[in-house]
Amino acid sequence: MSTVLNVKDLCKTYIVNKRQNNVLTNVSFKVEEGEMIAVMGPSGSGKSTLLYTVSGMDRMTAGTVEFTGKNISKLSENELAQLRLDEMGFVFQQMYMMKNLSVLDNIILPACKSKKTAESRKETAERGRALMNKLGIGDIGDNDINEVSGGQLQRAAICRAVMNDPKLLFADEPTGALNRSASDEVMEELTRLNSEGTTIMLVTHDAKVAAKCTRVLFIVDGNIKGEYNIDRELSLRDRERALNNWLLEMGW
């Protein structure tokens, strides 16, 4: 098993009204290939900042982040943008989509912009439709984005995120804007993708979501306070109960 993400002594500081705000302080952890890691913690603890910083969407203040062996702090903005396009996937709480494009065209857009393959647009569209069928939304490809449900749109966002076969899929509260039924559907798809080999790192406040992962990082005030390995051999109810007990011990 290879290391996809290696984070060492990561710090992120913002200057607000001439005052220093240390959002992340000496954060260190690894993400191994095939893992599905949840980042949990109280509001304002630095969860989303951690996700944005290790993915290169936000520049770190200090420390080292190695993505598949590449030190991302040494990359230019263009190199970072290309790395995110070709090797990373992103799913957010709000399903950002181009309003002037159909659902299918939104999904295949990253692949059309990437130079990873020399496939034709027809081949790309066929691959996009195959992904949509896999996630149970094959019938909405030609729809406008305002003609589908939130759950369908989030599954479309997952399709878009994996179009370029990313080394790591980042998800920031991917179920936060969904009802429980749609949330369960989206997590079922993410869990299935992980079981097929996709490495995933997601931010969540929902223990029911985190219980479907393989490991949980608990962050408080910009520091990782603890890690919890989840036994997927247990039933989901038992995993959720055990995780909730651990979170209480952590001060959740």
Side-chain angles (χ1 to χ4, degrees):
M1 186 181 295
S2 61
T3 300
V4 179
L5 191 67
N6 188 9
V7 180
K8 297 179 182 177
D9 300 321
L10 176 65
C11 298
K12 178 61 185 178
T13 300
Y14 293 104
I15 305 298
V16 181
N17 295 327
K18 298 183 180 180
R19 298 185 63 181
Q20 185 169 296
N21 182 16
N22 299 316
V23 183
L24 300 173
T25 308
N26 297 325
V27 173
S28 299
F29 66 94
K30 291 182 179 181
V31 178
E32 304 294 341
E33 186 179 11
E35 283 196 289
M36 184 171 178
I37 292 182
V39 180
M40 302 189 73
S43 297
S45 59
K47 301 186 297 297
S48 293
T49 299
L50 177 63
L51 200 73
Y52 298 149
T53 306
V54 300
S55 64
M57 285 193 288
D58 203 355
R59 286 288 189 177
M60 68 192 79
T61 303
T64 303
V65 175
E66 293 181 349
F67 181 82
T68 62
K70 304 180 188 75
N71 185 345
I72 68 170
S73 67
K74 304 295 185 183
L75 301 180
S76 68
E77 290 299 330
N78 286 340
E79 289 171 330
L80 269 174
Q82 197 65 46
L83 182 70
R84 286 194 297 267
L85 176 64
D86 291 341
E87 307 294 345
M88 300 177 183
F90 297 90
V91 180
F92 301 99
Q93 179 174 347
Q94 299 299 324
M95 290 72 84
Y96 300 107
M97 295 279 184
M98 302 288 287
K99 294 181 179 179
N100 60 324
L101 299 180
S102 68
V103 173
L104 175 63
D105 285 342
N106 267 284
I107 287 171
I108 67 173
L109 184 60
C112 293
K113 295 293 185 180
S114 175
K115 297 180 177 63
K116 281 182 76 172
T117 68
E119 65 185 3
S120 66
R121 192 190 183 286
K122 181 181 178 182
E123 291 170 329
T124 301
E126 288 174 351
R127 195 157 55 83
R129 287 194 183 277
L131 269 174
M132 294 181 71
N133 288 331
K134 202 173 184 180
L135 270 69
I137 54 171
D139 58 337
I140 66 167
D142 296 326
N143 289 40
D144 292 335
I145 63 169
N146 60 356
E147 296 176 333
V148 298
S149 70
Q152 288 174 319
L153 203 57
Q154 192 62 301
R155 277 181 279 173
I158 294 171
C159 290
R160 180 181 60 184
V162 299
M163 270 299 295
N164 287 340
D165 192 22
K167 295 285 195 310
L168 181 55
L169 176 62
F170 293 100
D172 188 11
E173 296 282 8
T175 63
L178 305 176
N179 60 34
R180 176 53 65 188
S181 175
S183 172
D184 288 344
E185 290 174 3
V186 166
M187 281 309 300
E188 183 178 337
E189 298 303 338
L190 288 175
T191 303
R192 183 180 56 76
L193 284 170
N194 177 245
S195 69
E196 294 174 353
T198 302
T199 308
I200 299 174
M201 180 178 175
L202 64 87
V203 166
T204 184
H205 66 276
D206 190 339
K208 193 176 183 68
V209 167
K212 297 178 181 178
C213 297
T214 57
R215 184 157 58 105
V216 176
L217 303 179
F218 188 71
I219 187 170
V220 178
D221 295 332
N223 290 279
I224 294 179
K225 188 175 180 181
E227 295 187 20
Y228 182 76
N229 291 306
I230 294 175
D231 185 357
R232 276 185 165 178
E233 296 298 317
L234 298 175
S235 68
L236 179 58
R237 181 175 295 181
D238 286 343
R239 278 182 272 162
E240 189 178 350
R241 183 182 298 114
L243 176 58
N244 273 316
N245 289 338
W246 179 77
L247 289 170
L248 287 173
E249 292 175 7
M250 291 290 103
W252 180 255

